[in-house]
Amino acid sequence: MSLANDVSIVKNKKINMNIKDSLKTFKFLNITPLIIVASFSILSIQNDLRLSIPLLIGLTAFIVILLAFITFYGETRQIKWSSTFIILVALLIRLLFVFRQPELSDDIFRYLWDGMQLLNGNNPYSIPPDSVIVINKNLVNIKIKINHPQLITIYPPAAQILFVIGVLFSKTIIGIKLLLVIFDILTCFIIIKILKIFDIPTWKSVIYAWNPLPVLEIAGSGHIDAATLFFLSVTILILCSKSNIKEIDNLKIFAAGITFGCSFLVKLMPVIFLPLFIIVLNKKGRLFFISGFVFIIMFLSYLFYPELFNMFKTLAIYIKNWEFSNYAFRFLKKSFSSGNIARLILFSLFFILNITLTLHLKRNISKFYFIKTTYLIAFIFLLLNPTLHPWYILYLVVFLPLYTKPEGIVFGWVIFLSYYVQIEYFLNRNWTEDDLISAIIWFSPILSLLISRLIYFIKPFSSHSLTKYNP
């Protein structure tokens, strides 16, 4: 009897310890939103983020670790945060940065210039800023902050319309930033709607809504990608609205074509998903999708015709010359002593992999595989794109609530290392990239992917989406 009693006492102690540990974890979970807000607050009060890059990298890493903790906790236990609470926290942390100057990027000054030109009745595609004689003091201050003012704007027609709307809010960068934050918050709403369709707990939206990348790149730097992501997420919402994608109403598919066209006309990057979005539909659906896509492109492009064609001259210069923070490109460029050969190799590889993934999906079309393939295409594109700006990773991070994988979470943080170049540039006007940092950025998500898959095959974790391998 005494032995049985001893065993019973030991079991009770273990149970009590587990309960205490669970209570401690639960209490910590409840204060994580406060810790995240406090971390963002520290960043928001820095005089200049270019001089606080180590702090930025450290605090964003801390926030991402907290988001990973939330994800692990939520996979085995219930998280009862409401959608309203998640959105309010997301809005609060964005408002911390809306009224700051965009130190990490100056793209928004081009947005402001284009919007002001349109408001004054001038076509931004007709003449580069350098060739415009400016008298207005406000325009002079904007002009001197524009990057590459000798080039005509590269931003498509839908982006130009949004620039005007932002300028109507306020003839400063604040108007445009507020507009983009609205789009970003709407994207959070759409993500929550898609999560409900997939019967995934809505708390997983925090992986995007509270992620440092959209907060700093949209609310902080004011990148137009916020609008692109909104229209792209609406397209996905429409295409996933029924259990069988091929059964979606043709008018809805036409609307999806329009929203996808809008995302493309805000920024050209979503074109990488076009083959995938077409292949998942039936023959009639493809016709309606392409019709909506072509219709909105022709309509909005006509508003800026014929000067719009000047945009493609700048686009050609960008494709041929721009590069940033991609180790694969830098390695190939040095190996072949040619940036053109390096670009051709990476483009060919991406094209082959994109088509392969798309055709593979055709054999097993489902909403889950559709999301997974979209995620993989974004991931591969980013690894193979010669230019890897931090805000480009938004096109991967936006899918993380639906397809949560370590490589996506790691990629969304490690890209902040690329901002180390800003320190030297700010102090000495010397733009010098470090091969080691580029290598860390490029290899970190790949190693995360390989390690997580290896862990699964050694010891499967059936309940954790971060380590579960979805074939």
Side-chain angles (χ1 to χ4, degrees), residues 325 388 411 414-415 417-418 436-445:
S325 201
L388 194 57
F411 215 163
V414 76
I415 193 62
L417 293 178
S418 67
L436 177 60
I437 289 177
S438 295
I440 292 171
I441 291 169
W442 199 82
F443 282 109
S444 292

Side-chain angles (χ1 to χ4, degrees), residues 195-261:
L195 287 170
K196 289 179 179 178
I197 289 173
F198 279 86
D199 199 26
I200 299 173
T202 55
W203 63 260
K204 292 199 79 173
S205 61
V206 304
I207 301 171
Y208 177 84
W210 300 353
N211 195 293
L213 195 66
V215 174
L216 292 174
E217 299 303 333
I218 295 172
S221 295
H223 284 291
I224 192 63
D225 303 79
T228 311
L229 293 176
F230 168 73
F231 289 116
L232 181 63
S233 61
V234 171
T235 305
I236 292 171
L237 175 64
I238 295 172
L239 294 180
C240 293
S241 58
K242 285 199 172 183
S243 56
N244 189 339
I245 296 176
K246 291 183 180 291
E247 294 178 357
I248 300 171
D249 181 79
N250 288 327
L251 287 178
K252 286 186 176 180
I253 293 175
F254 182 77
I258 290 176
T259 56
F260 184 72

Side-chain angles (χ1 to χ4, degrees), residues 380-418:
I380 293 168
F381 172 77
L382 293 168
L383 287 176
L384 301 179
N385 188 21
T387 308
L388 194 57
H389 288 304
W391 52 95
Y392 288 9
I393 313 299
L394 289 168
Y395 296 89
L396 181 70
V397 172
V398 74
F399 294 108
L400 286 177
L402 297 163
Y403 191 74
T404 311
K405 294 296 172 185
E407 64 273 8
I409 292 175
V410 169
F411 215 163
W413 169 76
V414 76
I415 193 62
F416 283 121
L417 293 178
S418 67

